[in-house]
């Protein structure tokens, strides 16, 4: 199967799973924004999702996408490290047109994975997981208020968001490039689009975190 | 009056493919800034021969930037710090007096070192042999004007065809990927009507060969295009991906 045994195929798997996860982030960020506009509305969304079958299907799908994305990241990294040969360069220099993020996607991925673990413990384990186990989940709005009233949580989340921003600025345009949707004219355009998209998503997430930290101070 | 500089060279020396290599340091005085980098290496080799030492082995041929033989990794850049040129077009005026210049061979699993700075780049030839050609049935030659080709396509094919197969893309890539080379070779033919006929077969065969030879997976860092002595565009890789994915879906 070409998706496993050809380099372009493996990259297609990477880009399709990655792009799907970006769409999820967009959904998640829009949902979070409701927490600022209307706390009651946010609780309604939490209730609507909860542990209903569609939310569970979505969660399993997401977990699957994330696992494939991470698994392929490791496989590709090991293969690429081997392709470099046994000896490393003594002197390396950076090229002006090469983004820092593009060379550090794996490192950024580790930071993001760490952030996901913290985030799942903070929210998912107290909401959907509790509901799956048959108990009554904690209130989403209260969790947000409590979590972001702690300055260290805000700091952790902001570092996480920064890593996501860097990961997305390369990931979004790169996924389009891998699918072949690029040419000389569109190259600067899709790079610009992916910067805007990444900034938008990260700003939406960060605004909720900062908003509730500021609220807790007042 | 011509300007001269004194430099220190750190050169990778390796007796053979299996031997353990290491850096040797050489001091060179009064190198003319008008001389090319390879002329400077010639001066070094003459000096080594006079001292009854073994000269440094490096690849070179035309010395005018079209054959793709010269292949040195100088101060962290394939073909040196200048952009859009090959090593043989690099001049000593790009270096400062007293500078230490580190010269390494291409380092890639698919390009094993033969000796010192010379590497075996037959992997690229093998990729070409896998499909980088048009199978022509010789017969009556049609009139060139009978096949109209838009100027835009012709120009883009010509730009892709400027690839000299020097290996700088794979040498610059942190993943050891040869995608820019394969993309250029696929693009130059896929853009033209004569090459389009076999485009799908070509993309599949060349990518399969590239993977088989131990090149890495492209992650679109763009280091290849940034270091390419012929400024082959990164968007050729998108075209290769497109050709390959479409071909696989058709199967």
């Amino acid at each position: 199967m070409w998706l496993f045994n050809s380099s372009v195929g493996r990259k297609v798997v990477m880009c399709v799973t990655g792009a799907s996860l970006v769409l999820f982030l967009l959904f998640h960020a829009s949902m979070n924004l409701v927490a600022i506009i209307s706390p009651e509305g946010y609780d309604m969304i939490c209730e609507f999702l909860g542990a209903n079958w569609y939310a569970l299907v979505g969660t399993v799908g997401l977990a699957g996408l994330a696992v494939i994305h991470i698994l392929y990241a490791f496989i590709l990294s090991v293969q690429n490290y081997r392709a470099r040969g046994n000896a490393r360069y003594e002197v390396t220099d950076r090229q002006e047109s090469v983004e820092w993020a593009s060379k550090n996607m794996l490192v950024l991925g580790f930071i993001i994975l760490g952030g996901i673990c913290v985030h799942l413990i903070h929210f998912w384990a107290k909401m959907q997981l509790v509901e799956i186990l048959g108990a009554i989940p904690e209130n989403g709005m209260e969790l947000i208020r409590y979590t972001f009233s702690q300055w260290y949580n805000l700091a952790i989340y902001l570092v996480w968001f920064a890593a996501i921003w860097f990961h997305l600025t390369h990931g979004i345009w790169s996924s389009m490039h891998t699918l072949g949707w690029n040419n000389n004219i569109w190259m600067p355009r899709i790079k610009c689009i992916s910067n805007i998209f990444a900034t938008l998503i990260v700003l939406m997430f960060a605004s909720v975190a900062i908003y509730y930290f500021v609220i807790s101070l007042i | 009056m011509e300007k001269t500089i004194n430099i220190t060279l750190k050169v990778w020396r390796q007796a053979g493919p299996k031997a353990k290599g290491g850096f040797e340091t050489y001091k060179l005085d009064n190198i003319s800034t008008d001389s090319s980098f390879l002329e400077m290496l010639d001066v070094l080799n003459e000096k080594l021969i006079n001292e009854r030492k073994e000269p440094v082995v490096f690849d070179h041929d035309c010395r005018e930037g079209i054959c793709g033989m010269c292949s040195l990794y100088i101060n962290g850049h394939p073909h040196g710090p200048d952009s859009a040129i090959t090593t043989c077009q690099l001049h000593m005026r790009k270096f400062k007096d007293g500078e230490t210049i580190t010269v390494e061979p291409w380092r890639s699993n698919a390009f094993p070192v033969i000796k010192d700075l010379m590497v075996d780049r037959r992997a690229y030839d093998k990729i070409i042999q896998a499909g980088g050609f048009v199978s022509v049935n010789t017969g009556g030659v049609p009139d060139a004007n009978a096949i109209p080709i838009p100027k835009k396509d012709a120009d883009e094919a010509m730009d892709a065809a400027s690839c000299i197969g020097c290996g700088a893309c794979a040498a610059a890539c942190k993943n050891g990927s040869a995608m820019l080379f394969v993309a250029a070779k696929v693009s130059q033919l896929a853009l033209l009507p004569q090459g389009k006929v076999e485009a799908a077969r070509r993309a599949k065969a060349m990518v399969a060969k590239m993977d088989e030879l131990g090149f890495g997976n492209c992650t679109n860092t763009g280091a290849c295009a940034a270091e390419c002595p012929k400024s082959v565009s990164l968007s050729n890789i998108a075209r290769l991906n497109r050709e390959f994915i479409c071909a696989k879906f058709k199967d």
Side-chain angles (χ1 to χ4, degrees):
Chain A
M1 180 68 177
W2 64 281
L3 288 174
F4 312 111
N5 55 23
S6 78
S7 59
V8 179
R10 285 188 289 266
K11 290 299 300 169
V12 168
V13 171
M14 214 49 198
C15 92
V16 169
T17 52
S20 314
L21 290 170
V22 170
L23 289 182
F24 163 71
L25 282 183
L26 188 65
F27 157 74
H28 196 328
S30 327
M31 182 184 115
N32 285 12
L33 219 50
V34 178
I36 295 183
I37 302 162
S38 150
E40 297 80 38
Y42 184 77
D43 277 335
M44 276 169 69
I45 297 174
C46 290
E47 209 174 315
F48 169 72
L49 290 171
N52 292 316
W53 68 268
Y54 44 85
L56 289 180
V57 169
T59 308
V60 171
L62 268 180
L65 286 173
V67 167
I68 294 172
H69 195 73
I70 294 165
L71 207 66
Y72 264 72
F74 284 122
I75 295 171
L76 289 167
S77 296
V78 169
Q79 286 183 340
N80 291 349
Y81 188 80
R82 283 204 193 125
R84 233 35 222 92
N86 298 322
R88 306 283 119 180
Y89 286 117
E90 176 85 356
V91 181
T92 48
D93 199 0
R94 57 181 298 278
Q95 296 88 10
E96 246 170 63
S97 57
V98 176
E99 320 143 58
W100 176 82
S102 71
K103 289 196 161 183
N104 294 282
M105 290 298 270
L106 189 71
V107 179
L108 290 168
F110 274 119
I111 300 173
I112 294 171
L113 186 63
I116 290 174
C117 292
V118 171
H119 179 61
L120 289 182
I121 293 166
H122 275 162
F123 290 92
W124 180 75
K126 291 175 186 166
M127 295 173 74
Q128 196 182 51
L129 184 64
V130 171
E131 204 173 327
I132 294 169
L133 296 175
I136 297 161
E138 289 190 36
N139 180 278
M141 258 340 284
E142 274 169 28
L143 266 182
I144 291 183
R145 284 207 179 90
Y146 170 73
T147 308
F148 294 116
S149 64
Q150 319 290 327
W151 67 268
Y152 51 85
N153 278 341
L154 179 74
I156 293 170
Y157 274 80
L158 288 183
V159 169
W160 186 35
F161 295 152
I164 292 174
W165 184 83
F166 277 111
H167 203 80
L168 291 191
T169 51
H170 177 68
I172 296 172
W173 85 261
S174 181
S175 66
M176 293 166 84
H177 191 82
T178 297
L179 285 179
W181 295 339
N182 201 358
N183 58 33
N184 280 333
I185 297 166
W186 275 87
M187 183 84 79
R189 292 182 190 171
I190 65 169
K191 280 188 178 176
C192 179
I193 290 170
S194 85
N195 282 343
I196 292 171
F197 212 76
T199 310
L200 206 67
I201 287 178
V202 166
L203 274 184
M204 282 157 90
F205 279 122
S207 61
V208 176
I210 295 169
Y211 180 80
Y212 278 99
F213 176 69
V214 173
I215 291 273
S216 74
L217 292 179
I218 300 166
Chain B
M1 232 196 69
E2 69 166 0
K3 204 183 151 215
T4 60
I5 53 171
N6 302 330
I7 51 166
T8 308
L9 279 175
K10 258 181 86 180
V11 183
W12 182 261
R13 302 301 304 263
Q14 184 172 337
K18 299 268 184 266
K20 196 180 175 315
F23 283 99
E24 288 275 347
T25 308
Y26 304 102
K27 278 202 181 305
L28 280 181
D29 291 340
N30 300 323
I31 295 294
S32 164
T33 50
D34 291 336
S35 67
S36 76
F37 195 85
L38 294 187
E39 280 167 346
M40 180 275 294
L41 286 181
D42 293 338
V43 171
L44 169 69
N45 277 347
E46 210 150 303
K47 190 176 155 217
L48 289 175
I49 291 165
N50 287 337
E51 291 169 3
R52 307 223 167 262
K53 288 180 189 156
E54 200 167 337
V56 178
V57 174
F58 59 92
D59 261 333
H60 62 103
D61 192 14
C62 76
R63 297 208 176 192
E64 54 182 18
I66 52 170
C67 74
M69 277 308 284
C70 52
S71 54
L72 302 177
Y73 199 87
I74 304 157
N75 282 353
H77 292 280
H79 297 300
D82 208 355
S83 61
I85 55 153
T86 56
T87 299
C88 62
Q89 293 170 301
L90 178 66
H91 281 80
M92 293 312 292
R93 54 177 167 265
K94 288 283 164 192
F95 299 93
K96 287 191 279 297
D97 190 31
E99 193 172 343
T100 301
I101 305 168
T102 310
V103 191
E104 301 171 72
W106 285 175
R107 296 207 194 280
S108 167
N109 201 25
F111 293 153
V113 172
I114 297 170
K115 195 175 168 141
D116 294 343
L117 301 170
M118 183 189 270
V119 296
D120 181 356
R121 281 172 291 173
R122 273 178 295 179
Y124 271 14
D125 298 334
K126 287 174 194 159
I127 295 174
I128 292 289
Q129 282 162 7
F133 49 81
V134 176
S135 318
V136 184
N137 290 319
T138 48
V141 181
D143 186 82
N145 295 323
I147 313 165
I149 298 164
K151 175 151 170 50
K152 192 177 140 283
D153 292 353
D155 285 352
E156 237 177 310
M158 204 58 193
D159 287 346
S162 66
C163 168
I164 51 176
C166 64
C169 41
C173 179
K174 81 173 182 70
N175 308 315
S177 167
M179 278 291 269
L180 191 66
F181 167 75
V182 179
K185 298 303 176 192
V186 163
S187 290
Q188 69 181 18
L189 298 174
L191 280 162
L192 300 176
Q194 293 90 340
K196 228 168 233 166
V197 188
E198 294 167 303
R201 184 193 57 78
R202 182 180 307 114
K204 283 186 287 181
M206 289 179 81
V207 168
K209 197 61 173 176
M210 171 183 79
D211 293 343
E212 181 197 317
L213 291 167
F215 288 103
N217 308 278
C218 173
T219 64
N220 305 329
T221 67
C224 50
E227 296 288 9
C228 176
K230 296 295 160 189
S231 306
V232 171
S233 158
L234 196 64
S235 63
N236 286 308
I237 293 182
R239 184 177 297 105
L240 169 61
N241 290 333
R242 198 156 62 226
E243 294 285 341
F244 182 84
I245 293 168
C246 288
K248 284 294 180 184
F249 272 118
K250 258 181 216 153
D251 284 351

